[in-house]
Amino acid sequence: MILYAHLPSNSSLSVLKPILTAALLLLTLAGRAQQGVPTNADMPSVPPAAEKLPSFEIRQPDKQLSPFTGMTRRHWQDAARYLLSGAFSYVHKLNDPMQFPKQPGKSYSRTPGQVPTEKLEGLCRTLFMAAPLLKEEPGLTLNGIKVADYYRHQLGLLVDPQSPSFIRPRAKDGGPSQNLVEFGGLGVALFAAPKILWDPLPQATKDALAATMLSYGDGPTVPQNWRYFNIFILSFFDSRGYPVNKKLLEDYLQKQLTHYDGQGWYNDAPTYDYYSMWAFQMYGRLWSEYYGRQRYPEVVRQLDANFAPLHDTYPYQFGRDGHMIMWGRSITYRFAAVVPFPLMGLRPAADTNFGWMRRIASGALLQFLQNPDFLQDNVPTLGFYGAFEPAVQPYSCRGSVYWLAKAFLGLLVPADSPFWTAPENEGAWTTPALASGTVFNKFEPGPNILVTDYPNTGAAELRAPCHQPSSDPYRGDENYNRLSYNSAFPWQADGPNGEVAMNYVFKNQQGKWEPLRLFTFRRFEEGVYYRDAVLETNPNVKLRLADLPLPNGILRLDVNQSTETLPLRLGHYALPNLTGTVRHRTRRVQGHTVHLLDNGTYQLALVPLQGWDAVDAVDATGLHPVSQKSTVLNAVGTSAPSRPLLATLLLWKRSGQKWTKAELLPVRSLSAADYRSITVQMADGSKRVVRFGE
């Protein structure tokens, strides 16, 4: 079966539609061909494991080496073993596949023809945990099964035509497929632990695996991070003496380098997201160590140079507690995003604060491992914390979640690396630049990403330009179209009645609430992040956006350039209902009505300064990744040309902290002659000027 997973995207529908059509046709035909069964056949279900895993526990935390998390390299191994044991609770004999209960919703498998690839995902992705563990504990046994024996046996089943796990070689005219993805991941594991996974295999199995895997690797791919799957397959078998297509390998290597845009970021054709880290940077780093450094030193020098800025940029994108931001597609891979941090320890740079890197990486692991909703049926859910259908991609199956196990490839870094030996610290959060009462902006001009850190709450926030139409099946949604993303406030999905969080929605000509998706970055200057936005279905509705991060939130000064009048709403971040109620109240401050929410963990405040009719506290169900119930503050108005400025304060604090008047109204006045320039008099006496220009 061929499951086309991560299609390239393009803002031009004329380019995108034929690609989608061809891919869907390929999926349908391949799904039928793999098993020779009708696609509407009943799907057998996998029953849940008989025994439930206990909650993850840090045994004997080391508070001297790791005063913030207690986690050392040994605890990382414990975490990998814990998650792997959940997967092995479905394995009772060597023939049992890595197949798990399907989560209701749009994830696959949806047809019997997809089942072999579903099993392949579970097998290859759990190896990201198993391979580093087996290198140091070859006799590892889980659920009564010798783990090394199991994976070697399963590799043989992949090339056994009589096995239900058999994967057909790519047809001569076959295109890119999910099988290519998984075989590329398998190539990583084979490089990592060849003495355990490859060397003991019978020669006939090796040859059959080479033939099957090279049929995919020596073939077409998707022009983005996918090229690394071909690269790893070709590289591994070349290292084992098999003839491979070196010309294709070298072509793909050069093309991967063209995706680099600076500050450690690769674009994934065309967006920025965690694929830059858990794909481009991770694959490049490991490929260099296992294969490239001796054979392609010029390519490796460039990869090293592209990796080098990460220690000075990427850490700021995580909260003080190490929590990561919910952002981008495949968010179900979660803490795979931290893998660059341990990989910095492979060739340590002297100016790297490894104690901060590990504090972040361990904090992100615990963000999920200690969340009670993370596991269901002993397997991580498809979602962010628990199951969350709005964030699920249709190319994912239940085993797809084990891409998160890429974080444990950090265990390939030697135990004496400074990543493991440096005492934990909080890095920049303890410096004067991030002192209490301040806001810290770090702009990255290559990808035009703005990272903002808020010392008062310890949260990190990210803004990235995105111009993805709704027709993009993987990017034209909340994963990318929020005005900003915050580590303390995971994004809430839009609702059918105009419920919106951290974006504008307009009631379009079809009577539906439509969010802004088409953003154009302008510049970052003097603490202001400028973008333009146009409504996808109506080019007469457009805004010029200006974000001014403040110590306790955001000042939005958005100039309305619309020539048509549509109802609109602007959402704050949303709060999950954690205690049975989210308290809503109002307060008058110097003539302004302030709307406040409090869920017992955080408080949010929305202050309409200019251009708004009202503010609603909107309760939502099933839209938030943390809780079934949530509440969001929405400012309500229209895009009438007579309202040239939409000025809004979106503020926050931790619960239990009192708001001063100056904190709730940090703006004293706004003045503008023609809205190409807006002067902001701040309550502290300072002045800010927002310059949109022509």
Side-chain angles (χ1 to χ4, degrees), residues 36 80 106 180 289 302 318 324 364 368 419 439 616 648 682:
K106 56 179 170 288
L180 168 62
E289 294 304 310
Q302 188 60 59
F318 294 78
M324 63 179 287
F368 300 97
F419 178 79
V439 62
D616 292 341
T648 323
M682 305 299 292

Side-chain angles (χ1 to χ4, degrees), residues 255-310:
K255 286 178 176 174
Q256 290 302 75
L257 294 175
T258 67
H259 287 256
Y260 186 70
D261 287 332
Q263 289 74 54
W265 288 97
Y266 291 82
N267 73 75
D268 198 34
T271 48
Y272 301 101
D273 50 39
Y274 289 119
Y275 274 90
S276 187
M277 304 304 167
W278 62 42
F280 282 96
Q281 290 287 18
M282 188 216 77
Y283 290 129
R285 195 71 164 170
L286 291 179
W287 176 86
S288 296
E289 294 304 310
Y290 289 125
Y291 178 84
R293 207 167 290 280
Q294 298 300 319
R295 296 169 178 85
Y296 295 99
E298 289 300 324
V299 173
V300 170
R301 272 192 282 273
Q302 188 60 59
L303 291 172
D304 286 348
N306 295 351
F307 187 87
L310 287 181

